[in-house]
Amino acid sequence: MAQSRSEERVVNNNNNGFESIDDGDEHNSQNGKKKLMKEEEVSVERVFQHQLVPSWRKQLTVRAFAVSLVLSILFSFIVMKLNLTTGIIPSLNVSAGLLGFFFIKIWTKFLQGSGMLKQPFTRQENTVIQTCVVASSGIAFSGGFGSYLFGMSKRVADQSSDTSDYKNPSLGWIIAFLFVVSFLGLFSVVPLRKIMVIDFKLTYPSGTATAHLINSFHTPQGAKLAKKQVKVLGKFFSLSFLWGFFQWFYTASDDCGFQAFPTLGLKAFENKFFFDFSAIYVGVGMICPYIINISVLLGGILSWGVMWPLIKNKEGDWYPKGLGESSLHGIQGYRVFIAIAMILGDGLYNFVKVLSHTFLGLYTQIRDKQKENVLPVAGQDSPSTPQLSYDDERRTQVFLKDQIPTWFAIGAYVAIAAISTATLPHIFHQLKWYYIIVIYLVAPTLAFCNAYGCGLTDWSLASTYGKLAIFTIGAWAGSSHGGVIAGLAACGVMMNIVSTASDLMQDFKTGYLTLASPRSMFVSQIIGTTMGCIISPSVFWIFYKAFPDLGTHKSEYPAPYAIVYRNMAILGVQGFKTLPQNCLLLCYIFFGSAILINLIKDCLGKRGRFIPLPMAMAIPFYLGSYFAIDMCVGSLILFVWEKVNKAKADAFGPAVASGLICGDGIWTLPASILALAGVKPPICMKFLSRATNAKVDTFLTVSG
């Protein structure tokens, strides 16, 4: 990010990467040389100017897609586990970049040693791998396996107030659904790539950061650092994987093992306050900003430490006694619907904020373009044309070289939309063909808004647009015509379109900064999406079959957003009549509080970074604070490390975090296989109070 800013400053001051030097003025000459030296120090493309840029076909290598396939399976397991546990998914770009670089380097080194290497490993090929892996693993999120899609199932429906309208998961229809909806977003914004990346010069922070990472790998100094980072990642991957394997031996039954260790006491454990020794969330905590981890912990303290104990005292007054922990007409209703209110309040505020930024930025860009096109008039200065730096000139030249025809993009969108309109009503009979046509007419505009807003703020509003579809289509269909399933399915269609659109633009920005062809980026995105449409449902199916309690409140994989999305659909169809007493009032309060907190945060400017995030605070309202404690432990490790040695923490912190996440995440594959094979852990490690332990001892003594 800092490098990007310094480049912009140089671009504004220099002419095509060179300073004009007046030979008659020694002072100006010295200044010019200093500026030229400075520009050369920050210029990326000058480092690579002697390297040939391969054609777009040569950027798409068999080895790149072989590595992408392996990494896609790895990251799909990781994203799926995160989806089905808490729904918090950090950026895994560093992990994908490092591992892609590592695998191809091993491949090329082996071939080079045997004299069979025909094509060297380039940063363009590295970018193709990155694009393919992110596109594939992204389907694990936008496919709704932890939200709208699983929310359709009977397992989740039985925990809601509407148990009649459901559709159980099946591998066949899930793959078919993803294939007919996941490609539309790619074609909807392809014609706008030049406008977004070159004309508007949108930042796309994640895409820019990924490009800087890839560029650094392919410099001599960066390659050395990358090798060290990969070693660190591999070490912590092994430790995390082995720790997951060790923990498995002690989980023979429910509430057994380290994940049920009452580290803060039994009373705190009952209220979901404990450290569960999860390496994956310690790693997530090291990647996520401090304020997110603190926000999640504050949300857990507010809900499970204060609110729920107080509301439980109202049992028999606010709601009937004896309903149990899982009934939405009891305490569970307050947990779920207040969390929904905070999520919707935060989503609405950010939707308006990003949309206003989008339209304001669009207006400014158009106004500036109009000024540039004004003819010079006597007495007025000619409009100045900003000069491009060497980097921007080189990148623009390559970016515009391989075009993707507009007629092809529009034709493909119309064709896929037609196939989708004909197919989706057969998968979801509640989703009528005219609902789908309306979505596809509106979707390109929303995809553009999301891609543009993401370029400005790095904030994708895919889930917010999905929630908008839930309420509009669900209310349109009505409860008598399957409005719940119709709303959830419409959410899936909308989320897939707008999510893939912003992802593609991020990838175009990465490709622009690494001199990767837009055509190779597009092909890689399509291949990655195709992989994702098969890999992600298969990974979900392994979880679904291996863990019979998947999606239930006390499961290791509670899928919290599945019940949240389903209840949003029910609210959209039935209104507020199903809520327990005073729940609606509390929902209004927390909905307004979420908007107010965001407003205060933005008004305070830089000081607002200390204000917690309502969206993050809402997650533990339903789940509890155990994962928040894990994440805060990760934050604490990184904080202490930065105080001791900031340079090493900055260089190796992401690698350590990625290793912890990848190791624990991939352990779920052998754990699932063992569960499917009927192999159970041999030991149950359980923690009891002294009084309960005395009763157990007495019972065993009498029985003996």
Side-chain angles (χ1 to χ4, degrees):
M1 298 294 286
Q3 186 178 359
S4 176
R5 289 195 201 101
S6 63
E7 280 177 6
E8 286 168 9
R9 284 198 291 271
V10 172
V11 168
N12 292 335
N13 293 326
N14 293 337
N15 179 11
N16 293 327
F18 296 93
E19 282 293 324
S20 59
I21 300 173
D22 185 352
D23 293 331
D25 190 334
E26 184 180 347
H27 179 70
N28 287 343
S29 175
Q30 289 174 352
N31 284 343
K33 287 176 183 175
K34 286 178 181 176
K35 288 181 180 178
L36 178 59
M37 288 171 65
K38 183 181 177 183
E39 208 265 312
E40 286 175 345
E41 284 174 4
V42 296
S43 174
V44 173
E45 296 311 325
R46 289 193 184 279
V47 176
F48 299 103
Q49 63 182 336
H50 299 299
Q51 295 181 10
L52 289 174
V53 178
S55 67
W56 72 271
R57 284 188 177 89
K58 288 188 176 179
Q59 294 172 22
L60 303 168
T61 62
V62 173
R63 68 190 180 195
F65 292 116
V67 168
S68 297
L69 179 62
V70 173
L71 292 180
S72 294
I73 295 170
L74 169 65
F75 284 108
S76 293
F77 269 97
I78 294 166
V79 173
M80 195 66 69
K81 180 169 183 177
L82 294 169
N83 241 335
L84 296 173
T85 47
T86 64
I88 298 175
I89 303 169
S91 172
L92 298 171
N93 285 351
V94 173
S95 311
L98 271 174
L99 290 171
F101 177 81
F102 172 66
F103 282 126
I104 292 290
K105 273 294 183 183
I106 290 177
W107 187 317
T108 54
K109 195 171 183 180
F110 171 75
L111 291 179
Q112 194 171 20
S114 59
M116 297 169 61
L117 182 64
K118 295 180 180 179
Q119 183 176 335
F121 181 39
T122 63
R123 56 192 175 130
Q124 290 80 25
E125 190 178 356
N126 206 157
T127 307
V128 164
I129 295 170
Q130 180 88 11
T131 300
C132 190
V133 173
V134 171
S136 178
S137 58
I139 299 293
F141 165 71
S142 61
F145 302 102
S147 55
Y148 65 84
L149 190 141
F150 190 41
M152 300 177 186
S153 67
K154 189 175 189 303
R155 199 176 293 176
V156 176
D158 288 342
Q159 302 173 62
S160 69
S161 57
D162 183 351
T163 59
S164 59
D165 200 9
Y166 64 86
K167 184 176 180 67
N168 278 323
S170 169
L171 200 55
W173 74 254
I174 293 174
I175 292 174
F177 168 71
L178 290 176
F179 265 108
V180 295
V181 301
S182 295
F183 295 91
L184 280 157
L186 303 180
F187 293 100
S188 64
V189 293
V190 162
L192 304 173
R193 66 194 179 283
K194 178 180 176 293
I195 295 171
M196 299 280 210
V197 176
I198 295 176
D199 296 341
F200 289 172
K201 292 182 172 59
L202 296 177
T203 311
Y204 288 103
S206 290
T208 300
T210 302
H212 288 322
L213 183 76
I214 291 172
N215 283 333
S216 71
F217 287 163
H218 292 268
T219 60
Q221 298 83 0
K224 287 180 183 177
L225 177 61
K227 285 178 183 177
K228 292 178 182 177
Q229 289 172 326
V230 167
K231 283 182 181 177
V232 170
L233 190 152
K235 184 190 297 182
F236 281 88
F237 175 94
S238 303
L239 288 172
S240 179
F241 183 88
L242 291 172
W243 175 241
F245 181 46
F246 176 74
Q247 283 183 294
W248 175 81
F249 281 97
Y250 300 92
T251 55
S253 183
D254 294 336
D255 296 327
C256 291
F258 288 91
Q259 62 194 26
F261 197 121
T263 42
L264 302 176
L266 288 167
K267 191 66 179 175
F269 179 79
E270 287 176 15
N271 286 290
K272 307 288 185 179
F273 285 95
F274 59 96
F275 177 62
D276 73 343
F277 298 90
S278 170
I280 197 167
Y281 281 106
V282 173
V284 169
M286 292 180 72
I287 289 178
C288 287
Y290 294 134
I291 190 61
I292 288 183
N293 301 332
I294 292 168
S295 298
V296 173
L297 185 60
L298 285 175
I301 293 169
L302 176 64
S303 55
W304 290 85
V306 179
M307 288 175 57
W308 306 156
L310 290 175
I311 292 174
K312 273 187 177 180
N313 291 336
K314 300 290 184 180
E315 187 178 12
D317 182 13
W318 285 15
Y319 60 93
K321 285 187 176 182
L323 291 177
E325 288 285 316
S326 60
S327 173
L328 284 175
H329 297 290
I331 186 66
Q332 188 76 335
Y334 295 94
R335 293 171 183 162
V336 171
F337 288 110
I338 292 174
I340 289 174
M342 286 195 77
I343 291 169
L344 289 178
D346 186 273
L348 178 64
Y349 178 87
N350 283 293
F351 176 73
V352 173
K353 175 184 167 183
V354 173
L355 212 59
S356 60
H357 274 290
T358 299
F359 288 131
L360 184 61
L362 198 56
Y363 167 75
T364 306
Q365 295 282 359
I366 293 170
R367 185 190 62 192
D368 292 344
K369 287 291 174 188
Q370 287 174 343
K371 284 182 180 179
E372 288 176 15
N373 295 330
V374 173
L375 292 172
V377 180
Q380 290 184 355
D381 293 331
S382 298
S384 59
T385 303
Q387 298 294 335
L388 293 176
S389 69
Y390 175 82
D391 280 8
D392 282 345
E393 194 174 282
R394 180 87 172 108
R395 289 163 178 168
T396 302
Q397 179 189 10
V398 173
F399 192 76
L400 297 178
K401 182 183 174 184
D402 297 319
Q403 295 295 317
I404 303 168
T406 301
W407 63 264
F408 171 74
I410 295 172
Y413 184 88
V414 172
I416 296 172
I419 294 168
S420 181
T421 304
T423 306
L424 285 175
H426 292 285
I427 300 173
F428 308 105
H429 66 85
Q430 301 92 336
L431 192 65
K432 306 301 181 185
W433 62 269
Y434 42 88
Y435 301 159
I436 303 166
I437 289 177
V438 169
I439 291 171
Y440 288 158
L441 289 174
V442 175
T445 304
L446 299 182
F448 165 76
C449 291
N450 194 48
Y452 190 94
C454 195
L456 289 174
T457 65
D458 208 30
W459 191 293
S460 174
L461 293 174
S463 59
T464 304
Y465 290 115
K467 290 162 195 161
L468 189 65
I470 286 178
F471 288 113
T472 52
I473 300 299
W476 187 3
S479 58
S480 59
H481 295 90
V484 173
I485 294 294
L488 291 170
C491 170
V493 175
M494 186 65 76
M495 267 187 72
N496 275 281
I497 293 172
V498 297
S499 177
T500 51
S502 62
D503 288 348
L504 179 62
M505 278 300 163
Q506 290 271 18
D507 292 332
F508 277 144
K509 182 69 176 184
T510 304
Y512 170 77
L513 294 170
T514 58
L515 299 191
S517 166
R519 201 173 286 183
S520 67
M521 291 289 90
F522 186 66
V523 172
S524 179
Q525 185 87 18
I526 287 178
I527 292 173
T529 303
T530 304
M531 287 181 185
C533 289
I534 298 170
I535 293 170
S536 291
S538 303
V539 170
F540 171 74
W541 199 246
I542 291 171
F543 277 88
Y544 187 70
K545 288 296 183 182
F547 304 101
D549 62 347
L550 180 76
T552 58
H553 181 57
K554 291 191 175 182
S555 170
E556 183 183 352
Y557 301 102
Y561 278 106
I563 189 72
V564 166
Y565 271 69
R566 183 173 184 87
N567 280 291
M568 283 184 191
I570 293 171
L571 279 178
V573 172
Q574 298 180 1
F576 301 115
K577 59 186 179 183
T578 59
L579 300 182
Q581 187 180 343
N582 293 317
C583 185
L584 182 59
L585 175 61
L586 290 170
C587 287
Y588 284 144
I589 292 170
F590 279 89
F591 179 86
S593 298
I595 294 174
L596 184 62
I597 290 169
N598 274 306
L599 189 61
I600 293 169
K601 187 176 180 69
D602 286 340
C603 289
L604 288 175
K606 288 184 178 179
R607 288 177 295 174
R609 69 183 187 275
F610 299 112
I611 304 293
L613 299 167
M615 181 75 78
M617 290 179 69
I619 297 170
F621 273 48
Y622 173 69
L623 280 177
S625 297
Y626 60 93
F627 68 95
I629 294 171
D630 297 341
M631 290 170 69
C632 286
V633 168
S635 280
L636 182 62
I637 291 169
L638 186 64
F639 179 78
V640 173
W641 193 1
E642 285 177 339
K643 291 296 179 185
V644 173
N645 191 328
K646 185 164 177 27
K648 275 200 170 183
D650 291 342
F652 297 104
V656 171
S658 300
L660 292 172
I661 292 170
C662 294
D664 197 6
I666 204 63
W667 162 248
T668 57
L669 175 58
S672 302
I673 293 170
L674 289 170
L676 287 170
V679 179
K680 293 187 177 181
I683 304 167
C684 174
M685 183 172 71
K686 213 162 193 172
F687 299 89
L688 306 172
S689 67
R690 185 167 50 200
T692 306
N693 186 64
K695 290 178 183 177
V696 171
D697 285 344
T698 303
F699 174 77
L700 291 174
T701 303
V702 172
S703 300

